[in-house]
Amino acid sequence: MQDKIIASEREDIVLHAKGIEKVKIRQCFESIPFQLARENKKFKYADVEKKGTARKFGDSIQWLVDSNLALRCTNVSVPALPLRYNEKENEFKLYLHDTGLLFSHYGTETKLAFMRNVLKGGAKGGIYENAIAEMLVKKGYSLHYYKPKEDSGLEFLIEKDGEVRPIEVKVGNNATKSLNGFIDSYHPSISYKIADGNVGMTDGKLTLPYFLAMLL
């Protein structure tokens, strides 16, 4: 059934996109699961096509976002309100609108490995991030992230109760170095660690199991 839905989405691209855009949109659509499977999930035009650029594929990505086939999460230069006016336009991640369909792109064996908790590599983190992104969008949040340098970053920032609140998504339940650094620098009233663990609160850092992200 999931494969049929994906086939239907591909047919929608052919039916509703115009001219050469059909091919470019399809290329971007097929690239999303591939790019989410990497450790660095920033979307790269050159991974869609060698020497690909924003000029060539920017409109195609916007088509996917406007059609709700993809969710765009944009990096910000400063984690301050309003986030949309601090966006780095060409630094973003793309998620699929449905995490179940993402599994279908990866195939049955990846799904089984994930369910058995033996999946290795970047794809596991991409799956968790996709699920959290989907929950946040369905709660009405816009998607932003914060990566000020290569060796640190937070998967999501949300605007809630008059402030910017950070979210770090962990594969497992290990330390939150990036989140701790953000707390020390910006002092949010509360921050969130989404992990494979139980509910808990320590020094303003609320830990939640993955499924409870839907209640943020």
Side-chain angles (χ1 to χ4, degrees):
M1 183 60 69
Q2 290 174 338
D3 289 341
K4 288 180 179 178
I5 293 172
I6 292 174
S8 176
E9 292 176 342
R10 291 172 176 144
E11 290 172 4
D12 284 343
I13 292 172
V14 173
L15 180 63
H16 297 292
K18 297 180 180 180
I20 191 62
E21 281 299 314
K22 298 177 189 291
V23 176
K24 293 194 293 182
I25 293 168
R26 174 73 177 268
Q27 286 178 283
C28 292
F29 180 68
E30 302 296 345
S31 183
I32 295 172
F34 163 71
Q35 300 211 33
L36 280 176
R38 303 175 317 189
E39 290 296 336
N40 182 2
K41 295 168 178 54
K42 175 187 171 184
F43 192 87
K44 295 182 179 180
Y45 297 106
D47 284 346
V48 179
E49 180 182 272
K50 189 175 181 180
K51 297 184 180 180
T53 62
R55 182 175 181 179
K56 182 171 184 177
F57 291 108
D59 289 344
S60 301
I61 288 172
Q62 189 61 50
W63 193 97
L64 289 170
V65 172
D66 290 343
S67 301
N68 294 320
L69 293 178
L71 309 175
R72 177 162 44 200
C73 182
T74 309
N75 194 12
V76 296
S77 56
V78 180
L81 296 172
L83 289 173
R84 62 178 295 187
Y85 291 113
N86 293 306
E87 291 179 346
K88 296 182 176 181
E89 184 177 351
N90 286 319
E91 292 186 21
F92 61 90
K93 298 179 284 186
L94 286 182
Y95 301 103
L96 286 188
H97 68 105
D98 185 279
T99 307
L101 297 183
L102 177 63
F103 273 117
S104 189
H105 279 275
Y106 289 147
T108 301
E109 297 308 315
T110 298
K111 183 184 296 186
L112 289 173
F114 184 87
M115 292 172 65
R116 294 168 180 163
N117 201 28
V118 295
L119 183 64
K120 307 296 183 182
K124 187 173 184 178
I127 291 166
Y128 279 123
E129 281 191 39
N130 203 99
I132 303 305
E134 185 183 350
M135 293 183 209
L136 292 175
V137 167
K138 289 178 178 177
K139 286 288 290 184
Y141 294 110
S142 59
L143 295 180
H144 295 90
Y145 72 102
Y146 185 53
K147 191 172 181 63
K149 50 187 179 180
E150 285 302 315
D151 62 348
S152 67
L154 294 167
E155 283 72 29
F156 301 103
L157 299 176
I158 59 173
E159 298 179 345
K160 186 177 178 68
D161 295 336
E163 67 175 348
V164 173
R165 294 184 179 177
I167 300 173
E168 186 164 5
V169 181
K170 305 301 294 185
V171 176
N173 193 14
N174 49 337
T176 54
K177 180 180 177 181
S178 294
L179 186 58
N180 294 343
F182 186 96
I183 293 169
D184 290 340
S185 296
Y186 298 102
H187 311 291
S189 63
I190 190 169
S191 58
Y192 306 105
K193 173 186 177 182
I194 311 297
D196 183 13
N198 208 339
V199 177
M201 175 72 85
T202 304
D203 298 326
K205 182 166 59 181
L206 177 61
T207 298
L208 296 171
Y210 302 114
F211 73 95
L212 284 183
M214 65 182 179
L215 300 181
L216 289 178

